[in-house]
Amino acid sequence: MNFQLLVERAREHSARRPVSAGPRLAAGQQPTALFVTCADSRVVPSQITGAEAGSLFELRTAGNVVPPYRLDSPSSEMATIEFAVVQLGVSEVVVCGHSHCGAVSGLHGAEIGHLPAMRRWLTTHGRTETPARRPDPALRAEGQQHVLKQLNTLLEYPFVRDRVDGGELRVHGWFYDIETGVVHTAPEFRPL
């Protein structure tokens, strides 16, 4: 899709949107879930879930990385998770990885020296992996393991852990296969 088409659609957006959506959305956010996923342009949470505007609070990071909880070194990701869980009171959190992920590829030995910020991000927060011997080109198993690691990191956030333990919050791991469109769930990664 070329950029001009995006501009034209943006100009037409208000005409396409239902009139009732404006006042409802302007009244405030009440999302059901925080959806943590990769910044990859092929992963579109609202298309995958069929969610309407206002239903998902999205956090998109390189490689759907959830950095460790450290108040002495806060990040945008930490602040977004805190806002969704504490302020908005979401009842569900989904960490969604995907096949063919460039960040997961970088964790498994792909050359990313030309991307020094990405390399540092993955090294610092992605918990660098040992390169696989013969990885699947789509990195499905590697991506699924990466989701599990991000879930474990998320559960180390004290406000997440407290709400999970109190039954107020559920945390889910999903894996989106770009080729098939199938979404799998952790820990066994069976199709939804």
Side-chain angles (χ1 to χ4, degrees):
M1 174 178 301
N2 70 36
F3 185 72
Q4 188 55 41
L5 185 55
L6 294 176
V7 170
E8 289 171 22
R9 288 186 177 172
R11 286 182 181 138
E12 299 166 356
H13 173 71
S14 64
R16 289 191 317 267
R17 189 173 84 165
V19 174
S20 62
R24 179 180 60 83
L25 294 173
Q29 295 190 69
Q30 295 181 338
T32 302
L34 167 62
F35 200 95
V36 181
T37 194
C38 187
D40 191 299
S41 63
R42 301 167 294 179
V43 179
V44 184
S46 61
Q47 282 185 347
I48 293 169
T49 63
E52 295 179 4
S55 299
L56 296 179
F57 196 75
E58 294 181 25
L59 170 58
R60 298 183 68 127
T61 75
N64 55 275
V65 169
V66 175
Y69 183 79
R70 292 189 51 203
L71 273 181
D72 62 333
S73 181
S75 67
S76 172
E77 295 80 15
M78 283 176 51
T80 301
I81 294 166
E82 180 184 60
F83 188 80
V85 173
V86 176
Q87 180 68 30
L88 296 177
V90 296
S91 59
E92 313 288 337
V93 177
V94 174
V95 176
C96 183
H98 65 94
S99 64
H100 303 87
C101 182
V104 171
S105 178
L107 286 169
H108 286 275
E111 177 53 48
I112 58 172
H114 63 293
L115 302 169
M118 175 68 79
R119 185 179 66 235
R120 173 91 187 230
W121 170 252
L122 294 175
T123 302
T124 305
H125 301 298
R127 299 182 182 180
T128 305
E129 307 289 331
T130 303
R133 289 190 183 132
R134 290 186 203 167
D136 165 13
L139 299 162
R140 289 176 181 91
E142 296 81 1
Q144 291 170 1
Q145 286 304 306
H146 181 67
V147 167
L148 294 176
K149 288 183 180 187
Q150 302 318 303
L151 286 172
N152 288 334
T153 301
L154 180 65
L155 290 169
E156 293 171 1
Y157 283 46
F159 55 86
V160 170
R161 171 56 49 207
D162 289 348
R163 283 170 175 76
V164 168
D165 289 347
E168 303 166 65
L169 180 67
R170 296 187 315 166
V171 177
H172 313 272
W174 288 9
F175 185 80
Y176 175 62
D177 191 309
I178 288 176
E179 288 180 61
T180 65
V182 175
V183 176
H184 303 267
T185 61
E188 299 87 10
F189 289 103
R190 295 185 179 141
L192 273 177

